[in-house]
Amino acid sequence: IQAHSEDLRAEVNNDTLVEDIKTGWRQAKLEVHDSLLCEFAEKLTLRLSTINNNDITRLKQAGFSDRAINDAVQVIAYFNYITRIADGLCVDTQPDSQNIFNTLALMNCLH
């Protein structure tokens, strides 16, 4: 997690934002489109069966291109995959790593 937060810190050059995201993305002072993307990532991660065309439409209306949406879905899916691999192999991770990994991956992808 520290490595990912340092990557994000280098991308956004905002220590306060990085620390806020590590605490919880909903409480962080994110731009509207960043918050919408985090909401989508959470839904894709925790409630996959509820994803529908309305979710994609909302992202497009917020200014995300088809390519950006595709990239975001692939990054989110990759981090979910890696988390499941780590869990399946009983790799010791920090308790809230899944949420932080997803948020940091998205933010890193945005900037």
Side-chain angles (χ1 to χ4, degrees), residues 4 9-10 17 23 25 32-33 41-42 46 48 56 71 75 81 85 91 94 96-97 99 103:
H4 292 289
R9 193 178 314 279
L17 178 62
T23 301
W25 71 265
V32 173
H33 66 279
E42 182 178 87
L46 302 176
L48 175 60
I56 303 303
D71 289 348
V75 169
Y81 169 77
I85 293 292
V91 174
Q94 295 181 9
D96 59 350
S97 64
N99 292 331
T103 303

Side-chain angles (χ1 to χ4, degrees), residues 15-53:
D15 291 342
T16 302
L17 178 62
V18 172
E19 293 306 315
D20 287 350
I21 290 170
K22 285 171 62 176
T23 301
W25 71 265
R26 289 184 186 277
Q27 291 74 38
K29 293 178 178 124
L30 299 176
E31 298 289 329
V32 173
H33 66 279
D34 291 340
S35 184
L36 183 62
L37 189 55
C38 287
E39 182 181 307
F40 177 75
E42 182 178 87
K43 187 173 183 179
L44 188 60
T45 299
L46 302 176
R47 297 179 306 283
L48 175 60
S49 65
T50 67
I51 294 287
N52 59 50
N53 284 333

Side-chain angles (χ1 to χ4, degrees), residues 56-95:
I56 303 303
T57 299
R58 286 181 68 208
L59 291 172
K60 288 181 179 181
Q61 289 172 341
F64 291 97
S65 67
D66 287 339
R67 168 113 190 220
I69 294 168
N70 182 302
D71 289 348
V73 169
Q74 290 196 42
V75 169
I76 295 162
Y78 172 75
F79 277 92
N80 284 322
Y81 169 77
I82 290 300
T83 299
R84 281 173 179 76
I85 293 292
D87 290 347
L89 297 173
C90 298
V91 174
D92 188 23
T93 61
Q94 295 181 9

